[in-house]
């Protein structure tokens, strides 16, 4: 068991932000990543479709790589598919919603928490539910920010356009005097600088990647899964576009040399 890798998946390459955090927390671990680049975005799709896609990816990770645990790095999949997947598969499955909510509740002082994510994630109410479970009196103000993903994919992370979009989406949350803003989407950490500039110093920005890595560390021990001892990464995608290298570099902070394209519908 201990030599088997941990599988991580996302709707695209954004989940590499979670890979980066896990590599830092568990440098000795073997990681296998799957990015569903052919079918991104998940954020606008229906729950049925998200569940079907997530199932195919977990089947692939289990049959091809015999993963010992799965991390659902995608917020939208974590919101809609996590419960169903935990019922269907025996392998431990960790999503990003619980760690993200935990991190936000730890940080807030006034109990007023802003949550932003894709339409799917926000309308699922998953973050709201989890934050209220941990802090029943919290005031949660949520908002989908559908233009953030294309902004990040285009590399528009700072500057006039990024700032105008961030102002537009965050205005109603800032008016509610939030002191914590939870970035509930794989792509949003890349906009952190602009989001912080617009929100001001008093608002603490929290993303789930680091807390997910810490939770994974704790849970692996709880599940009795030993660490593998030789860190390495393997990368799969469902489409290898012209922009792959540029985008992967943006999310992971370094180049990925070897990547394999998979026909995920087969699984
Ligand atoms: N990975 C998705 C998430 O974290 C964002 C991109 C998408 O819409 O698929 O919700």
């Amino acid at each position: 068991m201990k030599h088997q890798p941990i599988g991580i998946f996302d709707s695209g390459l954004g989940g590499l932000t979670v890979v980066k955090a896990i590599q830092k927390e568990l440098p000795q671990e073997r990681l296998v990543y799957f990015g569903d680049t052919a079918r991104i975005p998940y954020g606008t799709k229906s729950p049925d479709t998200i569940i079907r896609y997530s199932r195919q990816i977990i089947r692939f990770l289990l049959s091809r790589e015999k993963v010992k645990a799965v991390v659902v790095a995608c917020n939208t999949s974590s919101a809609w598919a996590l419960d169903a997947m935990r019922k269907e598969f025996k392998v431990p499955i960790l999503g990003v919603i619980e760690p993200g909510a935990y991190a936000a509740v730890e940080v807030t002082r006034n109990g007023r928490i802003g949550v932003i994510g894709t339409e799917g994630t926000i309308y699922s109410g998953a973050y709201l539910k989890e934050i209220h479970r941990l802090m029943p009196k919290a005031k949660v103000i949520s908002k989908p920010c559908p233009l953030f993903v294309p902004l990040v994919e285009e590399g528009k992370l700072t500057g006039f356009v990024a700032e105008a979009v961030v102002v537009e989406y965050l205005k109603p949350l800032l008016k509610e005097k939030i002191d914590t803003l939870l970035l509930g989407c794989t792509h949003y950490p890349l906009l952190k600088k602009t989001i912080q500039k617009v929100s001001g110093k008093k608002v603490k920005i929290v993303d789930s990647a680091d807390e997910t890595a810490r939770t994974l560390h704790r849970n692996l021990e709880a599940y009795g899964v030993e660490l593998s001892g030789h860190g390495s990464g393997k990368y799969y995608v469902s489409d290898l576009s012209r922009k792959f290298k540029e985008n992967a570099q943006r999310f992971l902070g370094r180049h990925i040399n070897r990547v394999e394209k998979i026909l995920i519908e087969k699984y």
Side-chain angles (χ1 to χ4, degrees):
M1 187 74 163
K2 70 176 182 178
H3 295 302
Q4 290 163 221
I6 295 171
I8 302 159
F9 79 86
D10 178 40
S11 56
L13 299 176
L16 291 172
T17 52
V18 178
V19 169
K20 201 171 156 189
I22 296 175
Q23 278 174 341
K24 209 167 132 208
E25 176 77 21
L26 296 166
Q28 69 279 53
E29 201 55 34
R30 264 175 69 207
L31 306 179
V32 175
Y33 184 78
F34 180 86
D36 202 355
T37 46
R39 304 189 292 196
I40 190 175
Y42 282 15
T44 49
K45 295 198 170 71
S46 67
D48 285 1
T49 302
I50 307 291
I51 289 175
R52 182 161 54 84
Y53 288 178
S54 304
R55 179 184 297 122
Q56 286 173 339
I57 297 169
I58 296 177
R59 278 190 192 143
F60 161 73
L61 290 170
L62 285 170
S63 64
R64 170 73 81 96
E65 292 288 343
K66 312 269 181 297
V67 295
K68 62 187 172 195
V70 173
V71 178
V72 185
C74 179
N75 289 257
T76 313
S77 300
S78 296
W80 288 118
L82 192 67
D83 290 347
M85 296 304 103
R86 280 179 170 162
K87 282 186 193 129
E88 278 184 40
F89 297 98
K90 280 201 198 97
V91 67
I93 305 176
L94 175 68
V96 287
I97 305 272
E98 289 161 25
Y102 176 82
V105 164
E106 284 285 290
V107 163
T108 186
R109 291 290 160 261
N110 69 2
R112 302 177 77 81
I113 301 172
V115 179
I116 53 176
T118 64
E119 280 173 47
T121 298
I122 298 304
Y123 292 125
S124 76
Y127 272 115
L128 179 76
K129 202 170 131 201
E130 190 55 24
I131 291 172
H132 276 159
R133 194 179 67 77
L134 299 168
M135 189 187 250
K137 288 202 175 135
K139 166 93 176 148
V140 180
I141 302 108
S142 324
K143 190 163 174 57
C145 304
L147 287 175
F148 282 10
V149 168
L151 262 184
V152 172
E153 297 266 325
E154 284 305 315
K156 295 259 177 284
L157 309 181
T158 53
F160 172 73
V161 176
E163 228 172 286
V165 176
V166 171
V167 167
E168 178 71 18
Y169 284 130
L170 294 193
K171 230 188 306 174
L173 284 86
L174 297 171
K175 237 166 91 185
E176 291 283 344
K177 304 264 179 280
I178 54 164
D179 76 344
T180 304
L181 179 63
L182 173 52
L183 310 183
C185 176
T186 47
H187 285 56
Y188 298 4
L190 278 86
L191 285 169
K192 202 166 174 179
K193 216 167 141 190
T194 302
I195 293 174
Q196 188 74 72
K197 185 175 172 196
V198 169
S199 308
K201 277 194 212 112
K202 283 189 189 145
V203 177
K204 295 266 179 303
I205 297 178
V206 172
D207 76 71
S208 14
D210 291 339
E211 195 55 42
T212 299
R214 280 192 286 273
T215 310
L216 176 68
H217 200 164
R218 279 198 304 273
N219 280 356
L220 281 178
E221 283 162 6
Y223 284 121
V225 178
E226 291 176 70
L227 302 174
S228 64
H230 19 356
S232 66
K234 207 164 173 185
Y235 302 91
Y236 295 100
V237 288
S238 49
D239 186 44
L240 209 41
S241 71
R242 198 174 46 83
K243 279 190 147 183
F244 172 82
K245 278 207 165 145
E246 189 190 317
N247 265 337
Q249 156 88 21
R250 189 172 297 139
F251 289 112
L252 194 60
R254 58 179 176 78
H255 278 300
I256 293 175
N257 293 323
R258 276 184 43 214
V259 56
E260 193 179 326
K261 184 173 153 184
I262 296 295
L263 192 62
I264 195 69
E265 290 85 354
K266 255 183 19 196
Y267 288 87

